Amino acid sequence: MIMFNSAFNGLPNVNAENYYPEDKKKEIDELNASIADLQGGIMKAGFASDQGVYDAAVQNVFEILDSMEGILSKQKYLTGSKLTFADLRLFPTIVRFDTVSYSLFKCNKRQIADYPNLSNYLRDLYQTTGVKETVDLKHWKQHSYRSLTNLNPSGVVPVGPDNLNLDGEHNRDEFK
């Protein structure tokens, strides 16, 4: 994904923002490793066939979310005041979390909605120009619940949660 940071620069109508700045690469790489662990932990929890594996995976998922919540209590984005690749990488995971990961993958200790900073951050990212148009929660939910028959043999898609309020107000502008 990092190649997309500059691969299309020079083409008409391409935003040449640098989401992987030199001075933040180490921090972004460390965050990306945590985000990969978060994503892997969600999958491990969902597909666990052993209680110990499940318990360890869920514990890891929520330790990472708690850590992200702590980071976002002090600054607007994961690496400070500017949007970076780490934020773009975390977004798909947290935007799907409450509707898919929470119940289908059994990561049901807390929802993103229960994290004040993560939920405000999620709304801020969602409301960023061009992002909302890439999000189709209904499709993701339908696809996940209907295609992962080993996790959901009946194919029944739950009606909730519907408390995401992605267009709602957020407090992220308080951070400079």
Side-chain angles (χ1 to χ4, degrees):
M1 282 180 55
I2 292 173
M3 70 170 249
F4 290 113
N5 188 56
S6 59
F8 301 103
N9 290 358
L11 293 175
N13 301 317
V14 171
N15 180 353
E17 283 286 328
N18 184 2
Y19 298 107
Y20 194 53
E22 194 65 42
D23 65 325
K24 297 283 187 181
K25 283 184 178 180
K26 184 176 189 277
E27 187 176 4
I28 292 168
D29 291 344
E30 289 170 358
L31 284 162
N32 282 339
S34 289
I35 295 164
D37 287 346
L38 171 64
Q39 294 163 335
I42 291 167
M43 298 302 281
K44 283 180 187 173
F47 289 99
S49 58
D50 171 90
Q51 189 67 46
V53 171
Y54 167 78
D55 289 344
V58 168
Q59 180 176 338
N60 186 50
V61 164
F62 287 96
E63 284 175 1
I64 294 168
L65 289 174
D66 291 347
S67 173
M68 299 291 174
E69 174 73 5
I71 291 168
L72 294 167
S73 72
K74 301 177 192 115
Q75 56 198 33
K76 185 169 184 171
Y77 299 112
L78 291 174
T79 64
S81 62
K82 294 203 185 250
L83 185 71
T84 68
F85 176 55
D87 302 294
L88 299 174
R89 179 141 188 223
L90 180 60
F91 177 76
T93 302
I94 62 172
V95 77
R96 296 174 184 161
F97 192 89
D98 290 2
T99 58
V100 177
S101 303
Y102 180 84
S103 55
L104 183 63
F105 288 91
K106 302 176 206 83
C107 294
N108 55 6
K109 188 174 176 184
R110 283 186 296 283
Q111 294 183 314
I112 297 302
D114 298 325
Y115 288 96
N117 295 297
L118 269 170
S119 60
N120 277 292
Y121 166 83
L122 172 60
R123 284 191 293 280
D124 182 30
L125 292 177
Y126 178 81
Q127 295 169 26
T128 300
T129 303
V131 173
K132 177 192 242 180
E133 296 79 16
T134 70
V135 175
D136 188 342
L137 287 174
K138 183 178 179 182
H139 169 77
W140 291 338
K141 189 175 180 181
Q142 295 280 329
H143 172 75
S144 297
Y145 280 91
R146 291 205 167 124
S147 67
L148 296 171
T149 55
N150 51 337
L151 297 181
N152 186 30
S154 68
V156 172
V157 180
V159 295
D162 56 5
N163 62 342
L164 296 179
N165 192 22
L166 294 173
D167 285 311
E169 291 186 20
H170 60 80
N171 68 351
R172 304 312 292 168
D173 293 330
E174 295 175 8
F175 298 94
K176 301 295 179 214

